[in-house]
Amino acid sequence: MQPSKKIAIVGGGTAGWLAANLMAKQWQQKNIEISVIEAPDIATIGVGEGSTPTLKRFFEIMDIPESQWMPACHATYKVNIRFEHWSPESNIESYSHPFISQLDTFSERPFYANCFGRRMGQDVTTSADKFLFNGWLAKHNLSPVTPENFPFKIEYGYHFDSACLGRFLQQHAMNLGVRHQALKVQNVELHPDGSIARLHTDKGQVIEADFFVDCSGFSSLLLQGALGVKFKDFSNNLFNDSALVIGTKPLAQVPVETVSTALSNGWAWRIPLRNRTGNGYVYSAQHITKNDAETELRQHLGLLDTDIECRHLKMRVGQVTKHWSKNCIAIGLAQGFIEPLEATALHLTQISTEMFIDCFEKGHFSNQFQNDYNNEMNERFERIRDYIVAHYKLNTRQDSEYWKANRNNMALSESLLQILDTWYKKNDLSKELARQGINQHFGAISWHCLLAGYGVFPQLNQRATNKATAPVIDYFKDNQIQQLFAGCILNFKPQM
């Protein structure tokens, strides 16, 4: 039997308890004691209430059925993110970024072909929701749950009440043997080598451990606070630093998509839950005051004459320079945050935890693979950051200095510049992503959704607008995809 190991997780919430669950599940046959030290008076941020399909995989790993956790967390299904009013100059009112499913293997190449045709000036269909099956489910408001005899795997995420999910994960982790200590850490004591020795709490207790996990949120009490790890700010190309949140009544018909609507100095989200609808405004405090932002969101929601409570939040966008330092790793907001436009926060939390578990165990519970881990996590944050930056860089709005500043911003990574250069030069985007080795972040389909969704195309050529010429092949209008998807959606039911 290996020597006993103690792991202390500082901070609960969704990040802390998700990490605790994954560690307890993976190491349940190991001689490892896991504790979560959670201050009882710190509330959940409550912004990240949407997920990617990664969360579906988490519950499969944990053997937790949807029937057990979804009702407890007022959760709904999510197959798509719809972006409204981000590129009005291109005459595209909205576009979709559906999650990728197995059925898309039949329509992926036609989607690419049409996008290439449009890049060559041809008048063809390039709406992602017409080529990707989850786009069809979103359009028809159908649940992604498949009947037993359906031969294809459908990927999907969820909308959920983050506070309820945190409580659910807490109870599940405790059932796996994780110890919960409702204490506030007041002081961190270090060993002579600079690693963390023990924690001192507000109740006078001293907590010792072999390894520490910092899930203390933006404050990053351990990694940045005690160990002095620096923070790399992303504000030079992601301007938003504030958010406000308003809850409204649940929708009569619950959609299976998140809606992100561009406003004057940022964007508003709408997340449908069973018990309420989550609404918020992510904005730049350098471009609009908090009071004006609240007024704009209330007007957007039709709530100007109501006294519904609004919560104001500050965001710190960026990442730590080292996600793992000495005997401490940061998970969740403590490691970094990229604004919630593509719902990547919980995705990064889960990926970070899973990668740490793999590296820590492979290195026989030592720091052997610390550098590999840090390099990989840094790369993931950077590339996800690039995809989010592209949403702002490519906007065509003219209604505020905020949008003009985003469009004119040239603080772009070399990776992003190469991607955009490939698109504008009409080269193969899939090959460029493969050359950079970044398909595991946002792949070719996601980039086609974004670039086509913004209408990043040249003017139609003369032949395309001349009806006397031979017709251009439109791989959507040949009806094969429409017939396939129309037949498949008969197997699906509305979200109830």
Side-chain angles (χ1 to χ4, degrees):
M1 178 180 291
Q2 68 174 48
S4 174
K5 289 278 186 181
K6 290 185 177 181
I7 296 178
I9 300 174
V10 176
T14 309
W17 288 110
L18 184 144
N21 272 279
L22 286 171
M23 291 178 187
K25 179 74 172 181
Q26 177 65 25
W27 293 329
Q28 56 187 337
Q29 302 303 321
K30 307 286 185 181
N31 191 18
I32 296 177
E33 179 184 315
I34 302 170
S35 298
V36 175
I37 300 93
E38 181 179 31
D41 56 346
I42 297 180
T44 302
I45 292 291
V47 172
E49 297 192 319
S51 84
T52 67
T54 308
L55 187 62
K56 178 173 176 284
R57 182 168 57 80
F58 166 79
F59 285 109
E60 291 170 351
I61 292 170
M62 299 304 302
D63 298 317
I64 302 174
E66 291 179 346
S67 58
Q68 182 179 346
W69 80 268
M70 287 186 71
C73 301
H74 310 291
T76 62
Y77 294 110
K78 172 187 173 184
V79 300
N80 182 49
I81 305 176
R82 181 156 51 90
F83 296 86
E84 296 188 340
H85 311 310
W86 287 74
S87 188
E89 294 292 309
S90 65
N91 295 316
I92 297 176
E93 186 173 314
S94 68
Y95 80 92
S96 288
H97 182 195
F99 295 133
I100 312 306
S101 286
Q102 197 173 20
L103 262 171
D104 298 329
T105 57
F106 298 100
S107 57
E108 178 182 359
R109 296 310 305 174
F111 179 41
Y112 293 166
N114 268 27
C115 286
F116 182 75
R118 183 64 188 83
R119 288 158 70 193
M120 299 299 291
Q122 299 172 356
D123 187 11
V124 292
T125 305
T126 57
S127 299
D129 57 358
K130 294 182 178 180
F131 287 91
L132 305 176
F133 186 66
N134 272 332
W136 280 63
L137 291 182
K139 181 179 179 181
H140 294 87
N141 199 33
L142 296 173
S143 164
V145 177
T146 58
E148 290 185 6
N149 62 345
F150 193 73
F152 303 104
K153 184 177 180 179
I154 305 299
E155 295 292 349
Y156 55 85
Y158 308 96
H159 305 114
F160 53 88
D161 185 310
S162 58
C164 291
L165 181 59
R167 290 192 292 270
F168 179 90
L169 294 178
Q170 173 185 335
Q171 187 57 57
H172 191 270
M174 291 170 66
N175 291 341
L176 291 175
V178 175
R179 183 184 179 193
H180 179 219
Q181 295 175 276
L183 299 166
K184 183 176 182 179
V185 175
Q186 286 191 327
N187 184 43
V188 181
E189 186 179 344
L190 304 181
H191 287 295
D193 66 358
S195 62
I196 299 175
R198 55 191 63 85
L199 310 174
H200 297 265
T201 74
D202 58 341
K203 299 292 180 62
Q205 291 183 254
V206 177
I207 298 172
E208 295 185 344
D210 301 290
F211 200 91
F212 296 83
V213 182
D214 188 349
C215 293
S216 61
F218 286 128
S219 64
S220 189
L221 180 65
L222 304 186
L223 194 78
Q224 295 178 60
L227 298 185
V229 172
K230 302 299 182 184
F231 185 81
K232 182 180 179 180
D233 193 275
F234 287 169
S235 61
N236 65 331
N237 49 28
L238 287 175
F239 299 162
N240 295 338
D241 58 3
S242 304
L244 53 94
V245 183
I246 298 179
T248 56
K249 294 180 180 179
L251 299 171
Q253 187 173 20
V254 180
V256 289
E257 64 181 9
T258 300
V259 178
S260 300
T261 304
L263 299 182
S264 70
N265 292 278
W267 59 277
W269 74 76
R270 187 190 72 185
I271 295 179
L273 306 181
R274 294 293 180 189
N275 62 330
R276 60 178 167 84
T277 301
N279 309 282
Y281 187 1
V282 178
Y283 65 93
S284 165
Q286 299 298 315
H287 294 84
I288 188 173
T289 68
K290 61 185 291 188
N291 290 335
D292 287 345
E294 180 174 340
T295 299
E296 185 178 8
L297 179 60
R298 288 185 180 276
Q299 185 174 28
H300 172 67
L301 298 173
L303 300 174
L304 274 178
D305 299 323
T306 69
D307 58 357
I308 296 178
E309 180 187 3
C310 177
R311 291 192 297 130
H312 290 262
L313 307 168
K314 295 298 292 183
M315 304 186 307
R316 193 182 185 201
V317 178
Q319 66 165 324
V320 290
T321 55
K322 288 183 178 180
H323 295 252
W324 179 354
S325 179
K326 299 187 184 296
N327 63 338
C328 178
I329 187 173
I331 297 290
L333 296 180
Q335 70 181 137
F337 181 66
I338 302 171
E339 64 161 86
L341 187 58
E342 288 280 355
T344 53
L346 202 56
H347 166 84
L348 284 168
T349 293
Q350 183 176 337
I351 293 297
S352 298
T353 306
E354 290 174 339
M355 286 183 56
F356 168 71
I357 289 172
D358 181 59
C359 288
F360 200 44
E361 187 167 348
K362 186 169 64 173
H364 304 289
F365 300 94
S366 73
N367 288 13
Q368 180 180 349
F369 294 103
Q370 183 184 85
N371 289 337
D372 292 346
Y373 178 86
N374 284 329
N375 291 337
E376 177 64 26
M377 288 314 306
N378 177 74
E379 177 71 6
R380 284 182 179 267
F381 267 77
E382 295 279 346
R383 301 291 75 81
I384 290 174
R385 184 273 314 273
D386 286 347
Y387 190 71
I388 302 302
V389 168
H391 289 70
Y392 295 98
K393 175 64 179 177
L394 300 172
N395 89 84
T396 63
R397 293 177 67 93
Q398 305 290 346
D399 56 324
S400 71
E401 288 302 316
Y402 167 86
W403 289 108
K404 294 175 185 177
N406 271 289
R407 187 163 56 252
N408 294 329
N409 182 26
M410 291 305 298
L412 308 178
S413 73
E414 183 61 28
S415 173
L416 178 54
L417 286 170
Q418 291 294 329
I419 289 170
L420 296 179
D421 185 63
T422 298
W423 182 267
Y424 286 123
K425 288 183 177 177
K426 306 178 180 64
N427 292 327
D428 191 322
L429 192 57
S430 298
K431 288 184 178 179
E432 174 59 24
L433 296 174
R435 184 190 70 80
Q436 293 190 32
I438 57 174
N439 275 312
Q440 72 272 30
H441 307 297
F442 284 99
I445 289 183
S446 292
W447 279 104
H448 278 80
C449 288
L450 190 157
L451 292 160
Y454 277 73
V456 185
F457 297 120
Q459 295 292 319
L460 294 173
N461 62 35
Q462 188 61 36
R463 183 181 178 186
T465 57
N466 187 345
K467 303 301 181 183
T469 60
V472 172
I473 295 176
D474 187 327
Y475 288 95
F476 176 73
K477 292 182 179 178
D478 68 3
N479 284 325
Q480 292 185 26
I481 296 171
Q482 297 181 67
Q483 291 172 2
L484 171 66
F485 286 176
C488 285
I489 64 172
L490 298 176
N491 294 277
F492 294 82
K493 299 178 180 180
Q495 178 160 239
M496 303 301 291

